[in-house]
Amino acid sequence: MTALPSGSNGDEDGKNVLSARNSTLSTDSLPIGPEDFDVRFFFTPRPQLVDRKEIFDFLAKMLATEALKNFDGLLPGRTVSFLDPRYPHITVVANSLVYSGGMPRSYLFWGMARIMDHMVQISLFIASNFALIWQGRPAGGLSIALRPTGPGDKQRVTTGLPRPLSQQQNTTAASHDKDFTSFEHEFHGSLLTVEDVCMGAIGALVKAAQLPDRPHFYTFVGGFMPYHALQSWSSFGGGPTLDRERVVQGVYESVRFALAHDDFHELKVRILEFGLVFADGGYIRDPPLTLGLDGHVNTSAS
């Protein structure tokens, strides 16, 4: 495994060092964390390119899996490798430099949100090392690698959600298995970009990870400015039926379905359990597209 970078600024050993705290990031945007947290990027002269849709799907499932755990807790080891059997060539590694019990899970969320936002802004998706900074000091690192990690004393975490996900291939579909959580999907409305949909989902997962386990609630809204896909979920049937797990499942299912169909129109999703609808939502364009008086498409904040 390539050694994690140090936390200093400037060029080191021919590697370009960039800070995530730049004009492309809004300091008051929830997904990127507080002012005390920062990410620095180390780009090699010949970086390995990562498939954009594969890394979005990998990270969305990874964050969805971690969102069901304690956001304020620690990862289960000083070095943790995240694996996904669907993408055996991709590995994400989290290293803690400060906490003997592992990196704070919040750093994983904030760090990946910043990393992906920066890659989108520069239109470059690469395998590289990223230094995590807390209050100006190195606190750990995240690595995206295009090969399995080597042998060693490392905790490995396979990403996976607790309830089976529907794998339907139709634009409007539902699972007929009444024993598990299933989903109904319907594309509609405006066309967004893959970056809008995936970054909006990452922002929503950062927010959902901080929800309490209980009690149930009526609505959830989350996104990642300035990306236009806004995740919006509502209870179904009159009472509060949403909880953190249903929101996380729904957010990931929406981005998974869009990527699987290579279709990034607005998407409606219903969550069913044992054949009964418990919640509905999906992502919508925010702000919505409207027609101006001249007949041309414009955006509206309403």
Side-chain angles (χ1 to χ4, degrees):
M1 191 70 202
T2 304
L4 283 169
S6 67
S8 59
N9 290 307
D11 287 341
E12 295 185 4
D13 302 326
K15 296 179 180 180
N16 296 321
V17 182
L18 300 174
S19 174
R21 183 65 70 185
N22 55 41
S23 60
T24 68
L25 293 175
S26 170
T27 59
D28 60 356
S29 181
L30 173 66
I32 66 171
E35 286 282 351
D36 286 336
F37 183 80
D38 199 2
V39 176
R40 293 172 187 167
F41 299 75
F42 290 69
F43 294 155
T44 60
R46 295 180 180 178
Q48 291 180 291
L49 298 180
V50 180
D51 183 271
R52 177 183 56 169
K53 293 179 182 177
E54 287 186 356
I55 192 62
F56 271 138
D57 193 18
F58 183 105
L59 294 177
K61 189 172 184 181
M62 182 188 81
L63 294 179
T65 302
E66 292 301 306
L68 300 180
K69 304 173 184 178
N70 182 7
F71 182 82
D72 296 317
L74 302 178
L75 296 181
R78 293 200 64 169
T79 300
V80 177
S81 298
F82 294 92
L83 311 174
D84 188 328
R86 301 171 305 159
Y87 305 109
H89 55 291
I90 300 176
T91 306
V92 170
V93 181
N95 285 274
S96 174
L97 299 181
V98 177
Y99 298 88
S100 60
M103 178 190 297
R105 188 167 282 107
S106 58
Y107 288 14
L108 177 69
F109 281 90
W110 298 334
M112 293 315 310
R114 286 171 179 262
I115 288 166
M116 294 309 296
D117 178 64
H118 191 73
M119 287 187 180
V120 170
Q121 296 300 329
I122 64 175
S123 299
L124 185 64
F125 296 83
I126 62 171
S128 190
N129 299 320
F130 311 91
L132 306 184
I133 310 299
W134 180 256
Q135 296 181 340
R137 297 182 179 181
L142 292 170
S143 299
I144 298 176
L146 283 179
R147 59 189 180 279
T149 57
D153 183 19
K154 297 179 179 180
Q155 176 74 26
R156 294 170 179 261
V157 177
T158 301
T159 61
L161 297 174
R163 298 173 180 173
L165 295 179
S166 170
Q167 301 293 324
Q168 299 300 315
Q169 297 302 311
N170 297 323
T171 55
T172 302
S175 169
H176 296 291
D177 187 343
K178 307 301 184 183
D179 295 331
F180 301 111
T181 299
S182 59
F183 304 89
E184 295 177 346
H185 319 78
E186 182 183 357
F187 290 111
H188 68 101
S190 301
L191 179 64
L192 298 104
T193 67
V194 60
E195 291 85 3
D196 282 331
V197 171
C198 294
M199 293 304 295
I202 287 174
L205 288 171
V206 175
K207 182 176 180 179
Q210 300 173 70
L211 294 171
D213 287 334
R214 294 290 185 270
H216 289 75
F217 44 90
Y218 285 94
T219 61
F220 172 86
V221 177
F224 195 155
M225 293 180 64
Y227 303 99
H228 293 300
L230 183 70
Q231 289 277 341
S232 178
W233 295 86
S234 301
S235 298
F236 190 90
T241 59
L242 284 177
D243 58 18
R244 181 174 61 171
E245 184 173 329
R246 288 191 179 110
V247 168
V248 168
Q249 289 276 11
V251 171
Y252 174 68
E253 175 64 12
S254 69
V255 70
R256 182 206 69 79
F257 194 81
L259 287 167
H261 291 81
D262 198 27
D263 189 332
F264 303 99
H265 284 84
E266 294 174 291
L267 179 62
K268 295 179 181 178
V269 180
R270 280 187 170 181
I271 303 176
L272 298 86
E273 294 184 11
F274 304 100
L276 301 176
V277 178
F278 271 74
D280 59 3
Y283 57 82
I284 58 175
R285 193 189 195 283
D286 182 51
L289 292 176
T290 61
L291 287 177
L293 296 177
D294 58 359
H296 291 90
V297 172
N298 56 36
T299 61
S300 170
S302 60

